[in-house]
Amino acid sequence: MADDLPRIAVWDPDEVSIHIARGFQVRDVLREVREILTIDLGAPASRGGPLRCFCGMRVDLPRELFPCDLEAQAG
């Protein structure tokens, strides 16, 4: 998560990461990250399932992106 980004999600090839701007709706962030992964990086499209990198590895999103802690709800 970062402040003052030019877009919702930005691919940083130097750090091999995607920076996500604070303050956006989760659905908008997911759309942007999915587009970076599939269009820019060539990952297979995944609708409804976990986001995957072009290498097949699962892409984990920062916990602070979600308004509530999902683990706390599960317990």
Side-chain angles (χ1 to χ4, degrees):
M1 300 291 289
D3 295 314
D4 302 322
L5 291 177
R7 294 189 319 261
I8 294 174
V10 178
W11 165 245
D12 182 351
D14 294 332
E15 293 185 28
V16 190
S17 61
I18 297 172
H19 297 278
I20 299 171
R22 295 184 211 286
F24 287 93
Q25 296 290 324
V26 174
R27 69 177 177 271
D28 296 332
V29 171
L30 290 174
R31 184 189 70 244
E32 292 281 324
V33 170
R34 184 175 284 116
E35 287 177 3
I36 289 172
L37 291 170
T38 57
I39 297 169
D40 298 338
L41 301 176
S46 62
R47 291 281 176 197
L51 296 174
R52 300 263 177 210
C53 181
F54 62 90
C55 67
M57 196 169 143
R58 183 183 174 138
V59 174
D60 294 319
L61 297 172
R63 291 183 133 203
E64 65 185 282
L65 178 64
F66 302 98
C68 59
D69 188 348
L70 298 176
E71 287 181 22
Q73 290 181 357

